[in-house]
Amino acid sequence: MSINSNHISKEDGLIGSSLEHIQNNTTSQDNTSLTHLRWSEKLVLEPNLNIPDLVCFSHLRWDFVYQRPQHLLSRCAKTRRVFVVEEPLASPDDSFWLDVSRRECGVWVVIPYLPEGLSEEQSISLQQQLLNELFAEAQIQAPILWYYTPMAVPFTHHLPSSAVVYDCMDELSAFKGAHPQLQAREAHLFKLADLVFTGGRSLYEAKQHQHPNVYAFPSSIDAAHFAQARGKLTDPADQADIPHPRMGFYGVVDERMDLDLLAGIAEARPDWHLVIVGPIVKIDPAIVPRHPNIHYLGGKSYQELPIYLAGWDVALLPFARNESTRFISPTKTPEYLAAGKPVVSTSIRDVVRPYGEEKLVHIADTVPEFVAAIASALEQKQTQPGWLNRVDAFLAQTSWDKTWQAMNELIEGAIAANTQASHRSSQQQPVVA
């Protein structure tokens, strides 16, 4: 289907609705002839009726940090249309719309823009309307509904589907600022889902009795991408003047990071330099430790990470041990290892098992323990010459390609089972004379 170019361009304007109209008549059928979709590109969207689309509902921004959703759904987009629906942003006025733009990997990113000041009920109703318009205009029919957030259930449970997947990558209810209804909505999502995937072993153990089809898919690796860091790469400009030895971390800096540990390491060893790559979110930037040997370089793209990694002597996972980290399975653990870097981590369960138990990662919690572990890691090439061979043998067992292939096989099985069940149900319907 070719989208009508009269209403797909950002420059063409938008048919909006006043806040009063939203409040009084959000679901009015009078609006069915209007469009609230903004397409960033005048592209042909040809649905393949033999291959269901995938529509994902995510609490994470596609363009924020490249992690599990991007790894999996970019691979999915090679064989089917993928739409990633993000959480709403505030519109500049009383208008509302969906911004739909395509990424290089083929994924369509869908961002709802809603007026400020709506009640939760109004927001849910409006998002329902916008999704209905997206499904109609893009000819999305019985897609795979893929959830990262249970908070999307109230405005999506009505949508047709060929299968429902909950990819549970974190215990979101333990995060700072979690919605009070999150656990209740997750329970509802468990009832809707055909399959539940977990982002780590610990999450699997916590969720396995809540659904009959729960599968553990821990953090995987694009080994070739991070193996670039084993070569001689030119230091990026903002890292080039930082002295060695360098201890590095990349990722989001939030309530999951042990800031006291970070400060303690910097104070104990002023001759070591700590390089922190990533945005500071959900915490006041004023509370992060500021020492001459701690260097905050801000966020970097996924493509840039190996360049920074190449210049580090040791990679760090200085996570706090609290409710928000109880079930995390850091994707960066195998990435650091693929880069050939010794790793020191706090005792996060999904790092201890298997990486600590396999002696691939140093585990430490207190400042003295962490400092001693870093010192050992700096000597690792001399003391453990076979370590890198063991790392490579371990990482060869997994990849994001293998993970997606295994997930897709389960999804195809769920689609087939649902189709068969629907067929049996239709045959059992009584014939009305």
Side-chain angles (χ1 to χ4, degrees):
M1 177 189 76
S2 177
I3 299 298
N4 185 339
S5 62
N6 289 332
H7 56 250
I8 66 175
S9 171
K10 287 186 176 180
E11 291 75 22
D12 284 335
L14 171 73
I15 301 175
S17 293
S18 67
L19 183 57
E20 181 181 359
H21 175 72
I22 296 167
Q23 292 171 331
N24 294 334
N25 201 14
T26 300
T27 58
S28 171
Q29 295 304 308
D30 295 339
N31 274 340
T32 55
S33 63
L34 307 180
T35 181
H36 299 93
L37 308 185
R38 282 184 173 182
W39 301 85
S40 64
E41 301 175 54
K42 297 179 180 180
L43 296 178
V44 174
L45 274 175
E46 289 291 353
N48 186 336
L49 299 182
N50 296 318
I51 303 177
D53 299 322
L54 184 147
V55 181
C56 168
F57 304 100
S58 179
H59 60 294
L60 300 168
R61 299 290 172 194
W62 185 266
D63 298 321
F64 180 50
V65 175
Y66 200 95
Q67 51 189 311
R68 181 183 180 94
Q70 288 84 350
H71 281 294
L72 294 172
L73 299 182
S74 62
R75 284 164 172 79
C76 178
K78 294 177 181 178
T79 57
R80 67 177 86 240
R81 295 193 306 176
V82 175
F83 299 85
V84 176
V85 182
E86 297 184 351
E87 292 184 333
L89 293 176
S91 66
D93 48 37
D94 287 346
S95 62
F96 62 95
W97 72 93
L98 290 180
D99 181 272
V100 189
S101 57
R102 189 174 185 269
R103 298 299 180 267
E104 187 177 350
C105 64
V107 169
W108 290 89
V109 178
V110 182
I111 306 175
Y113 282 82
L114 305 182
E116 294 189 82
L118 298 180
S119 67
E120 186 173 19
E121 183 179 357
Q122 291 166 341
S123 175
I124 287 170
S125 183
L126 203 52
Q127 288 179 84
Q128 276 187 334
Q129 178 183 335
L130 291 171
L131 283 172
N132 290 343
E133 291 186 27
L134 175 67
F135 271 52
E137 190 160 338
Q139 294 189 13
I140 301 171
Q141 301 177 15
I144 301 160
L145 297 182
W146 180 288
Y147 289 84
Y148 278 111
T149 172
M151 296 306 296
V153 169
F155 56 85
T156 61
H157 63 84
H158 70 292
L159 296 172
S161 68
S162 56
V164 176
V165 178
Y166 177 26
D167 187 20
C168 180
M169 59 182 286
D170 286 304
E171 185 59 81
L172 295 177
S173 62
F175 280 27
K176 186 176 182 180
H179 193 284
Q181 289 296 314
L182 198 147
Q183 286 183 312
R185 290 179 185 177
E186 183 180 67
H188 189 180
L189 181 52
F190 276 125
K191 294 178 181 179
L192 297 175
D194 298 293
L195 298 167
V196 176
F197 301 147
T198 67
R201 193 73 194 174
S202 297
L203 260 181
Y204 171 78
E205 291 168 355
K207 306 294 184 183
Q208 62 179 322
H209 301 301
Q210 299 180 44
H211 193 278
N213 297 309
V214 182
Y215 300 87
F217 285 103
S219 297
S220 197
I221 179 68
D222 181 352
H225 179 66
F226 289 94
Q228 296 176 78
R230 300 187 186 189
K232 292 184 178 181
L233 303 180
T234 301
D235 239 348
D238 56 351
Q239 183 171 273
D241 294 332
I242 299 174
H244 288 268
R246 295 176 188 160
M247 323 305 157
F249 168 89
Y250 65 72
V252 175
V253 180
D254 58 16
E255 76 272 18
R256 293 172 295 176
M257 178 170 280
D258 190 333
L259 300 179
D260 291 336
L261 177 61
L262 201 65
I265 298 166
E267 293 165 3
R269 293 300 302 259
D271 56 321
W272 290 353
H273 288 263
L274 308 181
V275 180
I276 310 299
V277 172
I280 300 172
V281 301
K282 294 199 293 182
I283 60 173
D284 184 352
I287 72 171
V288 302
R290 303 287 178 177
H291 293 76
N293 58 335
I294 303 181
H295 310 270
Y296 297 95
L297 305 187
K300 307 297 175 184
S301 72
Y302 180 72
Q303 297 304 319
E304 293 175 292
L305 294 180
I307 304 173
Y308 284 87
L309 264 169
W312 300 350
D313 299 294
V314 176
L316 305 180
L317 293 168
F319 287 113
R321 289 171 295 159
N322 55 33
E323 281 302 304
S324 66
T325 62
R326 185 180 174 190
F327 298 109
I328 64 171
S329 178
T331 304
K332 58 184 65 63
T333 313
E335 293 172 351
Y336 286 165
L337 292 171
K341 299 301 174 183
V343 181
V344 182
S345 173
T346 51
S347 55
I348 299 302
R349 290 174 64 191
D350 282 7
V351 179
V352 173
R353 302 178 305 171
Y355 301 101
E357 293 176 350
E358 295 289 335
K359 306 298 183 185
L360 301 178
V361 168
H362 300 264
I363 304 297
D365 287 313
T366 67
V367 170
E369 290 172 351
F370 222 88
V371 169
I374 292 174
S376 296
L378 287 169
E379 299 296 324
Q380 191 162 301
K381 289 184 179 178
Q382 288 73 34
T383 60
Q384 300 181 33
W387 170 79
L388 200 53
N389 291 333
R390 292 191 295 110
V391 164
D392 290 342
F394 182 88
L395 295 181
Q397 302 173 43
T398 186
S399 70
W400 285 115
D401 287 335
K402 291 179 181 178
T403 297
W404 174 248
Q405 181 180 357
M407 286 180 166
N408 193 55
E409 288 174 359
L410 290 169
I411 293 168
E412 293 293 349
I415 292 173
N418 288 342
T419 301
Q420 189 175 31
S422 178
H423 181 65
R424 285 198 303 268
S425 177
S426 64
Q427 288 183 324
Q428 294 169 1
Q429 294 294 325
V431 177
V432 179

